[in-house]
Amino acid sequence: MKYSNKLAKPLNRRQTMKNKPKKQNLKKNETKSSSLFRFIISNAITLLLLWVLITGFILDINGYKWMKDKLITANIEFMQKSKDLNFEERNEVKLGYFFTYLNYINNSTPENAVILMPSDSVIKSVDEKYRLKNLTNRAITTYVIYPRKAVYKKHFPLDSALLKQITHVAIVNYQGYENLSYGTLISKKSMFAVYPTDLSQLKKKK
Amino acid sequence: MLQYFGMLLIYLLGSLILLTISKKFKPLEILAYSFLLGIGTQAFIMFLFSIPNVKLSLKSLFIVDLIIIVAITYFGKVYKLFSLKHIKQRIISYFDLNQINKYNLLWLVCFGMAAFIVFTISKKNLFWPTFATDSLSSFDVFAKGIAHEGKLLNSLILERRVGYGAAYPPLYSLSLAYALMLGFSSSKIIPTLFFISLSIGLYSTIKKITNIPTLAIFFTLIGIISPELIAQSAINITSVPQAIYASLSVITLMIWSKTKDWKYFYLSAVLMAFSCFIRSEGIIYLGAVSLFLLTNYIKTKTGLKQRIIYFLISIFPFLMWQIFLALNIEVMDKFLQVEILPYLNTDKEQIVKIWSLAFKVIKSKEYYGLTYPIFWIAIFLNTYTVIKKKDHFWIGGIILSVFFGYLILINQLTLRSDSIENIINYSGKRFFFGIIILSWYYLATNTIVIYLFHKLESLLRPLKKQIS
């Protein structure tokens, strides 16, 4: 009895030791596969819900639709198409002929130039396709031509001192030649140009 | 090369200031706030140069920066962070496997989308030169003058070749000037880095308070795509940077309120100071936050000294600017666009007009997408938390205070060259960017939303160990 008792216990233990891991492995495998299944399904459903939320609801709202179509997609397409544009050309795309013309002035005058700009009525007489409206704005014109100075007759109190120091005259829509002492001598008139007030400067340039 | 050096210097300056506040800021937080603190400090240094009309140059700025960096590193004992032991500890804690377990496929998809949007907006920002009228006529042209002549009171101011923006607190124009001084062909690197800082900052703060990365990235994504906010992030004006400073200041203060971690309290104070140093309306946020701090003090009866320090730090740069304006009133007066009535304007007709116009703007889905209905949902969901736990009240309170603060301020204005209708219809949409960011944070940190995302996160975990 004593012997059998002594034997029985270790045997039972061994049996349980052998059986237990098998059962546990089975359970483990079941849990593993079920948790893997749950993981795949829950992720798939969540991503599907996210896709429905974004495409079916959020992007249907005007503001978000504009952001997707105009701000993101249109810009990506344009940037890919125009990646070779240099800094000046990008400015021209955004600011129109206003930038092209003022950039031409930058290239044709020294940094200390004081330039007499045309009147608002002359600027407004130019076809809208040139997008010259900003030329009437003293600060925005300064943005492009700085450190050159733009002088407007309409700002007379502010520019009165500078009117005496004018070194160049901006020609817009064939207007402005009357502000040059030698204006009548120029036979071939341009729609857009810039001339020095001093005739000798022009001769030197030529 | 100089450009990279100059920008790295800003990040270094900002990160050292942050680490002086506390050495326990996480890498993500350092990445989010370094630029904001660095560029704000650099602009303030440039402003200090301008008070005695000392000419700015890159050389003098770099010398001052390096002196500050050495002083902070030594006196703030930041050098201790560079020990091998500390770096090792940080790396180990950063790559904690239990934390990695919190990331899942949804996080990855939302992160991918957010990263794509931030990248595209940054690319767009850097591709196009400045073209927004307000920037061409004010901030960017003013920056050109500062960079070229080395003075805040330059020929553009004296000859009035710049718009009304010259009278705005000068943080933004000085930042743009710094970029131009470094040799960037366009100053648009500045708004680009502001937007990147917002995205990381919003993510890190939501993650900090909820500890659920999936929730944080989802609400960061939805928050940054608010249509008008993202559109104006890609142009060169002050509204979005001011909203970033103000909203992150309020959010970090809310983190302090919840965790009692003082580093967020002082970070909030510095961010608020820069918010008031970029646009005067930062004062509205400071007013709302001061009300919160006062009420909080009455309740807890502790930390009066710290609250006074908070207020002094926040108001200091703004006060300096006001003194500068007063000292140079003869030159600067022509740039002051508005006058504030010294008495309370009780014109009922105007109040009704302002209210209806502002309400129309804030409700617009074209400007702010889902933000307006979301705010009311957040209020509704938070009612339980507010009543039962007496928690999460103030963030909603601050949002409403700021909104009404704007209306009161507009009502008090006498405009020199514009009408109230134009201000609200055309500029009004820019006033509320800070509220938009705060509203999304408000919803993201709501108890019910946290509970739902907690459950969702446990469902989406790739490893066996589940949280219930």
Side-chain angles (χ1 to χ4, degrees):
Chain A
M1 197 60 191
K2 265 183 184 176
Y3 183 65
S4 65
N5 272 350
K6 272 178 189 171
L7 269 176
K9 274 183 184 172
L11 264 175
N12 281 341
R13 258 185 213 155
R14 257 181 227 151
Q15 275 177 336
T16 46
M17 288 295 276
K18 278 178 188 172
N19 291 338
K20 247 188 182 175
K22 272 185 189 171
K23 278 182 187 172
Q24 272 180 352
N25 278 343
L26 245 167
K27 272 185 185 174
K28 257 187 190 176
N29 286 339
E30 273 173 27
T31 328
K32 235 182 186 178
S33 60
S34 70
S35 66
L36 182 72
F37 179 72
R38 195 172 74 165
F39 167 70
I40 294 169
I41 289 294
S42 55
N43 271 285
I45 290 173
T46 313
L47 289 183
L48 187 74
L49 284 175
L50 180 74
W51 184 76
V52 170
L53 178 76
I54 291 176
T55 56
F57 179 60
I58 293 180
L59 291 179
D60 246 15
I61 295 165
N62 277 349
Y64 295 114
K65 199 172 181 314
W66 170 87
M67 181 207 67
K68 181 190 151 262
D69 295 341
K70 303 280 177 196
L71 193 73
I72 306 279
T73 314
N75 264 294
I76 290 175
E77 281 171 8
F78 188 88
M79 285 188 287
Q80 274 171 352
K81 215 166 57 186
S82 326
K83 57 186 171 199
D84 294 330
L85 292 181
N86 63 27
F87 189 67
E88 272 79 27
E89 288 165 334
R90 288 172 197 189
N91 264 306
E92 282 172 15
V93 172
K94 281 291 174 192
L95 301 173
Y97 199 75
F98 162 75
F99 181 84
T100 315
Y101 175 51
L102 291 186
N103 198 35
Y104 155 76
I105 289 183
N106 283 345
N107 294 330
S108 315
T109 59
E111 282 199 350
N112 61 354
V114 180
I115 305 154
L116 180 66
M117 303 308 287
S119 65
D120 286 3
S121 58
V122 169
I123 296 165
K124 281 172 190 164
S125 69
V126 180
D127 193 324
E128 274 186 15
K129 71 177 181 191
Y130 288 99
R131 289 156 67 196
L132 273 190
K133 206 182 99 191
N134 279 338
L135 207 58
T136 59
N137 187 315
R138 187 179 148 92
I140 300 181
T141 301
T142 302
Y143 174 80
V144 184
I145 65 167
Y146 182 82
R148 292 158 193 83
K149 290 177 179 175
V151 177
Y152 291 83
K153 282 186 178 170
K154 67 175 173 180
H155 290 286
F156 189 74
L158 285 162
D159 289 348
S160 56
L162 288 169
L163 275 172
K164 290 169 198 159
Q165 299 168 28
I166 286 168
T167 59
H168 291 78
V169 174
I171 307 293
V172 170
N173 212 12
Y174 307 100
Q175 306 286 310
Y177 289 98
E178 67 281 5
N179 296 314
L180 293 165
S181 57
Y182 57 90
T184 48
L185 302 175
I186 301 169
S187 52
K188 199 183 166 192
K189 295 198 162 114
S190 311
M191 188 172 177
F192 295 100
V194 63
Y195 282 98
T197 45
D198 184 356
L199 187 60
S200 61
Q201 291 287 321
L202 187 67
K203 281 176 184 168
K204 260 188 208 172
K205 209 178 162 187
K206 279 181 178 173
Chain B
M1 192 64 195
L2 181 70
Q3 295 148 1
Y4 292 116
F5 174 75
M7 279 300 153
L8 276 176
L9 199 66
I10 292 297
Y11 271 90
L12 183 64
L13 191 64
S15 59
L16 289 175
I17 293 170
L18 196 68
L19 291 170
T20 308
I21 296 172
S22 169
K23 287 163 193 69
K24 287 181 182 166
F25 278 109
K26 299 225 165 108
L28 204 60
E29 292 172 321
I30 296 173
L31 199 64
Y33 301 115
S34 290
F35 174 74
L36 299 177
L37 299 190
I39 200 70
T41 309
Q42 187 73 315
F44 191 65
I45 294 167
M46 291 166 82
F47 171 61
L48 292 180
F49 270 75
S50 306
I51 296 174
N53 219 9
V54 174
K55 195 177 175 189
L56 285 165
S57 71
L58 267 188
K59 206 192 256 178
S60 54
L61 273 178
F62 284 166
I63 291 169
V64 173
D65 286 346
L66 288 174
I67 292 170
I68 293 173
I69 286 168
V70 171
I72 288 177
T73 311
Y74 184 73
F75 294 110
K77 293 178 181 167
V78 181
Y79 58 86
K80 284 184 179 174
L81 293 177
F82 301 119
S83 70
L84 205 65
K85 191 183 156 194
H86 189 270
I87 293 170
K88 218 171 164 183
Q89 271 178 353
R90 278 240 152 171
I91 291 171
I92 290 166
S93 69
Y94 197 65
F95 291 101
D96 185 357
L97 276 173
N98 288 327
Q99 290 297 312
I100 289 174
N101 201 16
K102 286 180 171 242
Y103 296 86
N104 51 50
L105 204 57
L106 180 61
W107 180 89
L108 199 69
V109 171
C110 288
F111 175 77
M113 286 196 277
F116 170 74
I117 286 167
V118 172
F119 174 76
T120 310
I121 291 300
S122 303
K123 202 175 162 192
K124 175 188 181 286
N125 228 338
L126 296 171
F127 182 85
W128 291 116
T130 303
F131 61 89
T133 306
D134 281 356
S135 194
L136 291 173
S137 66
S138 285
F139 313 114
D140 214 11
V141 68
F142 191 29
K144 275 190 175 187
I146 298 166
H148 187 78
E149 296 176 37
K151 285 178 180 181
L152 198 65
L153 293 179
N154 51 52
S155 67
L156 295 181
I157 292 276
L158 301 174
E159 293 170 10
R160 206 184 168 176
R161 293 181 182 280
V162 59
Y164 290 114
Y168 283 35
L171 191 153
Y172 200 66
S173 291
L174 288 168
S175 313
L176 302 184
Y178 178 67
L180 295 174
M181 284 164 86
L182 287 173
F184 284 99
S185 54
S186 156
S187 58
K188 289 187 80 185
I189 183 74
I190 299 295
T192 307
L193 294 176
F194 265 111
F195 186 62
I196 292 172
S197 300
L198 166 70
S199 311
I200 305 172
L202 191 58
Y203 174 74
S204 71
T205 47
I206 299 175
K207 186 168 164 273
K208 165 79 195 165
I209 216 76
T210 62
N211 202 22
I212 305 173
T214 312
L215 183 154
I217 195 69
F218 179 77
F219 280 96
T220 302
L221 172 68
I222 302 285
I224 62 169
I225 61 166
S226 302
E228 199 58 31
L229 174 79
I230 196 170
Q232 303 237 0
S233 298
I235 58 174
N236 212 354
I237 56 168
T238 53
S239 306
V240 173
Q242 193 273 334
I244 294 170
Y245 276 125
S247 59
L248 288 179
S249 169
V250 173
I251 290 172
T252 45
L253 193 69
M254 291 301 113
I255 295 177
W256 164 77
S257 156
K258 205 171 178 72
T259 62
K260 295 290 169 242
D261 188 343
W262 286 93
K263 68 174 186 268
Y264 291 105
F265 180 85
Y266 291 111
L267 172 62
S268 168
V270 180
L271 291 170
M272 187 58 80
F274 292 141
S275 153
C276 300
F277 194 50
I278 197 165
R279 282 178 78 96
S280 302
E281 65 206 54
I283 287 296
I284 298 171
Y285 284 87
L286 181 57
V289 159
S290 302
L291 196 67
F292 160 70
L293 288 174
L294 187 70
T295 318
N296 188 264
Y297 172 72
I298 293 168
K299 210 171 116 186
T300 59
K301 298 276 180 214
T302 54
L304 178 65
K305 199 178 108 191
Q306 286 90 335
R307 281 165 176 79
I308 292 170
I309 291 172
Y310 183 102
F311 187 76
L312 292 176
I313 293 173
S314 303
I315 199 93
F316 183 66
F318 177 77
L319 274 185
M320 293 277 284
W321 175 245
Q322 294 306 315
I323 293 167
F324 181 84
L325 284 182
L327 289 174
N328 297 287
I329 192 70
E330 277 178 31
V331 187
M332 297 304 287
D333 185 57
K334 51 186 176 277
F335 299 104
L336 297 172
Q337 207 174 354
V338 295
E339 278 169 28
I340 296 175
L341 293 174
Y343 55 87
L344 192 69
N345 186 3
T346 50
D347 180 352
K348 272 186 192 166
E349 206 177 303
Q350 178 161 307
I351 293 169
V352 171
K353 197 200 302 173
I354 290 172
W355 170 257
S356 61
L357 286 170
F359 214 63
K360 201 174 137 194
V361 170
I362 197 86
K363 270 167 58 179
S364 166
K365 282 187 179 152
E366 282 179 15
Y367 293 159
Y368 307 127
L370 285 168
T371 313
Y372 179 74
I374 283 300
F375 175 73
W376 290 112
I377 291 171
I379 290 264
F380 175 73
L381 293 179
N382 274 310
T383 311
Y384 171 80
T385 325
V386 170
I387 295 169
K388 285 280 174 191
K389 296 184 181 174
K390 304 218 182 315
D391 187 23
H392 225 60
F393 167 74
W394 269 102
I395 179 86
I398 288 174
I399 294 171
L400 288 173
S401 309
V402 169
F403 178 70
F404 288 112
Y406 268 107
L407 301 194
I408 292 166
L409 184 72
I410 296 167
N411 187 44
Q412 289 300 110
L413 298 180
T414 308
L415 301 162
R416 285 185 181 180
S417 65
D418 214 335
S419 66
I420 292 283
E421 284 90 342
N422 277 350
I423 289 279
I424 301 178
N425 283 333
Y426 300 111
S427 308
K429 58 188 177 186
R430 299 178 194 163
F431 292 160
F432 304 126
F433 289 151
I435 296 177
I436 302 310
I437 300 166
L438 288 174
S439 297
W440 286 104
Y441 173 83
Y442 186 40
L443 183 70
T445 52
N446 167 264
T447 320
I448 297 165
V449 173
I450 291 174
Y451 174 78
L452 291 174
F453 268 84
H454 193 63
K455 285 282 172 201
L456 180 69
E457 195 192 52
S458 70
L459 258 176
L460 300 179
R461 280 191 174 201
L463 300 180
K464 294 167 290 180
K465 203 177 154 192
Q466 306 279 333
I467 46 165
S468 60

